[in-house]
Amino acid sequence: MVVLAAAVVSKTGKAVISRQFHEMQRSRIEGLLASFPKLTSTGQQHTTVETEHVRYVYQPLDDLFMVLITNRQSNILQDIESLHLFARVVTDLCRTCEESDILSNAFELLCAFDEIISVGYRENVNLSQVKSSIEMESHEERIQEIIAKNKEQEAKEELKRRAKQFEMQRKEAQKHGRAFMQGNFNSSVSNNMGNMGGMGSYGGNYSPSEAIKEASSFSRPSSAPTSSGSKAKGMKLGKKAKAGDLFESIKPDVEEPLLAPASIQRIYSESVHVDIDERVSITANKDGGLELMEVRGVLTLKITDPTSARIRLALKTENDSSIQFKTHPNVDKTAFKDEHIVQMKDLSRPFPINQNLELVKWKLSSKDETAVPLTITCWPSPAGNGTSDVNIEYELENDELELREVIISIPLVSDQSVNVSQADGTYYVDKSRRVLEWQLPVINSSNKSGLLECNIQGEDPNAFFPVMVSFVSETLLCGLDVVDILNAENNTEVAFTKEVVMSAEDYVIG
């Protein structure tokens, strides 16, 4: 079998699209296609027609024809089978078999033709394989996109965490700065200013946040002599040189409480810090049924003070045999198993300093749908006009959970606009990534269910999957927690800070 060309032509012999599989001049192809209507008999149904040199195998497509031009030695049965596959490809990729639709999908059609015929010979492919090839969907690419999105989400979480810490630091510094300035600024004014009346407004306009910025550029102690040279010029406001010089003279007194790192450092982090991180991966089918849920967690300890290195951690864990725990080789496994205590095997040895120590890891695999933190159901229904009505529902399965920064991403067939008729929360159409993001700041027992209704371009229900979900929470699914930390030598309590985060790592529906 040798196929010379495949074309969609009008009843007058005009080529709408044509793909040649052998080197042929354009005039030759146009001449063969132009002579095709003259060879067909009006009112009769034919599958093939032959000339002295070629054979036409054709099938009507409404007002057009799907035509294969082959040599006369080709297998007629294989030609007819190939013709039917070509016709199915055209009708599947185009909404209607009209010339305008075929021209608008010309690139996809020609790519599909190349998947069916290679150098004149039929490839062993079916319609689904052809569609998969032209869609060029890659599982590896999808995995990389998920990884990139998770990294982006982690970066956002880290940014928010640092912003929160900075805000707490700013407020604390502002509180310390105001208290000092109220006590010492007035005495400086009464002792040094005399009758200068402009300093009251100057002191009121100087904010502690500005003092922090300036204090960061100084490393000398408060008792060091103050230079009245170039640095004093940097403190001038407008032309009030005297006020600037006066403030420069008392600046060491103002800086001292703000530069005391120990007092501010204790507010945010003790010498012992614990991170509990849990990541959830869920695979569900298009109907919302759970296929697999996997939870992986890790408890990380960091100690910055050598005097607090000999400690033991008292944990609280769920009494669930399906949760598999694994401890660090240097951790006493017997104490962990019997008493839920994390301590060194050799109590005379301290924990390493200034290192992120992963002491405990755990894993939970389940197919129990009641264990899923958030159930997502996507219902696409073709509307009959080239669009689909899509309803997405969520339901919080555990009332004790509070999920934050929830984003439910629905893929879009095209970058056209989405008509949203109802949405709990907010939504965002990312045309560059072709996704509709349903954003919910918080999901808890007060809004444990919600709905988004929209109309989206595309009639294939499978095109709206997979649905991706991301969120964070301060409540863990496996229930592990650090309730107390004690000194291993004298059994006294050790102050510590703790950060608990549960996040969705790979949450896929469909």
Side-chain angles (χ1 to χ4, degrees):
M1 170 188 172
V2 177
V3 179
L4 303 178
V8 177
V9 300
S10 65
K11 291 184 177 180
T12 61
K14 174 188 173 184
V16 181
I17 60 171
S18 177
R19 183 73 173 100
Q20 291 73 253
F21 304 106
H22 279 270
E23 289 188 8
M24 301 176 67
Q25 294 184 355
R26 177 176 178 177
S27 58
R28 170 67 173 157
I29 286 292
E30 290 178 343
L32 290 174
L33 295 177
S35 61
F36 164 71
K38 302 174 186 177
L39 301 173
T40 59
S41 301
T42 305
Q44 298 184 11
Q45 293 293 329
H46 290 279
T47 305
T48 65
V49 61
E50 295 184 1
T51 65
E52 183 179 355
H53 303 289
V54 297
R55 176 188 294 144
Y56 298 92
V57 186
Y58 63 94
Q59 177 179 330
L61 297 174
D62 294 341
D63 294 332
L64 304 173
F65 287 98
M66 180 71 232
V67 182
L68 299 184
I69 302 177
T70 71
N71 59 15
R72 295 185 62 180
Q73 291 76 33
S74 65
N75 188 321
I76 185 65
L77 295 179
Q78 291 184 3
D79 291 344
I80 293 174
E81 183 181 353
S82 299
L83 174 69
H84 291 163
L85 181 56
F86 273 99
R88 289 177 62 194
V89 166
V90 173
T91 55
D92 187 79
L93 294 179
C94 303
R95 297 178 183 174
T96 61
C97 293
E98 296 180 357
E99 184 174 343
S100 58
D101 280 341
I102 291 175
L103 288 174
S104 63
N105 294 279
F107 180 78
E108 289 80 4
L109 289 171
L110 293 175
C111 290
F113 289 0
D114 286 340
E115 296 294 330
I116 301 172
I117 302 295
S118 177
V119 199
Y121 293 92
R122 165 75 186 274
E123 296 286 343
N124 187 20
V125 293
N126 54 33
L127 178 61
S128 61
Q129 291 173 326
V130 172
K131 290 177 62 178
S132 178
S133 297
I134 63 177
E135 286 173 359
M136 295 181 290
E137 183 176 355
S138 170
H139 177 70
E140 289 76 9
E141 181 182 3
R142 178 178 163 189
I143 294 299
Q144 290 302 319
E145 289 178 352
I146 293 173
I147 293 173
K149 186 173 182 180
N150 287 335
K151 288 183 178 179
E152 181 182 351
Q153 187 66 25
E154 290 174 3
K156 290 180 180 178
E157 293 170 7
E158 179 66 15
L159 183 62
K160 290 181 180 180
R161 186 182 68 82
R162 292 187 179 182
K164 184 178 179 181
Q165 288 184 350
F166 179 78
E167 181 65 19
M168 292 174 61
Q169 185 176 6
R170 187 189 66 80
K171 289 181 179 179
E172 185 65 23
Q174 187 175 10
K175 181 177 71 174
H176 281 258
R178 258 201 311 265
F180 186 85
M181 291 174 72
Q182 288 172 356
N184 295 295
F185 214 54
N186 293 334
S187 62
S188 299
V189 171
S190 59
N191 294 333
N192 300 327
M193 289 187 60
N195 295 326
M196 290 182 64
M199 193 58 192
S201 60
Y202 176 79
N205 292 332
Y206 186 80
S207 66
S209 60
E210 294 172 347
I212 296 174
K213 294 179 182 178
E214 293 164 6
S216 63
S217 63
F218 291 90
S219 58
R220 65 183 184 277
S222 60
S223 59
T226 304
S227 172
S228 60
S230 59
K231 291 185 179 179
K233 294 180 180 179
M235 293 301 298
K236 291 181 180 179
L237 297 179
K239 296 183 179 180
K240 296 182 180 180
K242 292 183 179 180
D245 293 339
L246 180 59
F247 182 77
E248 192 68 29
S249 65
I250 67 171
K251 183 170 62 177
D253 295 332
V254 179
E255 286 174 356
E256 184 172 0
L258 302 178
L259 288 176
S263 61
I264 298 178
Q265 184 71 17
R266 284 195 297 268
I267 299 170
Y268 314 105
S269 177
E270 299 289 347
S271 58
V272 179
H273 182 74
V274 176
D275 276 318
I276 307 177
D277 185 24
E278 197 172 69
R279 298 179 183 272
V280 185
S281 299
I282 289 181
T283 303
N285 55 38
K286 295 176 183 177
D287 296 328
L290 177 65
E291 294 182 357
L292 179 64
M293 180 181 78
E294 187 174 85
V295 181
R296 293 179 180 271
V298 59
L299 184 150
T300 305
L301 173 69
K302 185 173 182 180
I303 303 173
T304 57
D305 186 0
T307 60
S308 302
R310 287 187 180 139
I311 56 175
R312 61 173 181 263
L313 289 70
L315 307 186
K316 181 190 75 173
T317 61
E318 294 288 342
N319 188 17
D320 189 347
S321 59
S322 60
I323 303 177
Q324 303 173 10
F325 288 97
K326 185 177 181 181
T327 58
H328 191 278
N330 291 333
V331 169
D332 189 343
K333 291 180 173 55
T334 303
F336 178 78
K337 183 178 179 180
D338 297 341
E339 306 176 38
H340 304 304
I341 297 293
V342 176
Q343 64 186 21
M344 293 290 287
K345 234 181 232 183
D346 184 359
L347 293 178
S348 63
R349 292 180 55 190
F351 282 103
I353 307 300
N354 294 322
Q355 296 183 27
N356 290 319
L357 307 173
E358 295 184 352
L359 301 182
V360 182
K361 293 183 179 181
W362 60 95
K363 176 182 176 182
L364 169 65
S365 297
S366 175
K367 293 186 177 180
D368 183 7
E369 295 189 358
T370 60
V372 176
L374 190 67
T375 301
I376 307 294
T377 308
C378 181
W379 299 88
S381 302
N385 57 352
T387 65
S388 294
D389 294 326
V390 182
N391 295 340
I392 304 101
E393 297 177 312
Y394 76 81
E395 183 169 0
L396 185 68
E397 298 294 342
N398 188 348
D399 290 349
E400 297 180 358
L401 284 178
E402 181 176 87
L403 307 181
R404 296 183 176 274
E405 302 171 25
V406 182
I407 300 177
I408 303 172
S409 301
I410 303 97
L412 302 178
V413 179
S414 65
D415 58 358
Q416 298 184 14
S417 60
V418 178
N419 183 17
V420 177
S421 56
Q422 177 183 345
D424 296 322
T426 60
Y427 65 92
Y428 169 68
V429 178
D430 191 337
K431 293 187 177 181
S432 61
R433 292 171 48 227
R434 290 191 175 183
V435 294
L436 168 63
E437 289 191 349
W438 184 15
Q439 303 170 345
L440 298 124
V442 179
I443 295 179
N444 52 29
S445 58
S446 63
N447 62 333
K448 60 183 298 183
S449 62
L451 174 67
L452 182 141
E453 295 181 357
C454 59
N455 182 267
I456 307 177
Q457 288 289 332
E459 292 185 327
D460 183 8
N462 296 323
F464 304 106
F465 293 94
V467 177
M468 312 295 294
V469 184
S470 65
F471 56 78
V472 294
S473 176
E474 295 181 356
T475 305
L476 303 182
L477 294 180
C478 292
L480 184 140
D481 194 13
V482 177
V483 295
D484 201 3
I485 297 181
L486 302 175
N487 189 301
E489 297 176 334
N490 52 28
N491 212 33
T492 58
E493 292 187 356
V494 176
F496 68 98
T497 55
K498 177 176 63 177
E499 185 172 359
V500 180
V501 176
M502 184 266 287
S503 60
E505 184 176 44
D506 190 5
Y507 209 116
V508 183
I509 295 95

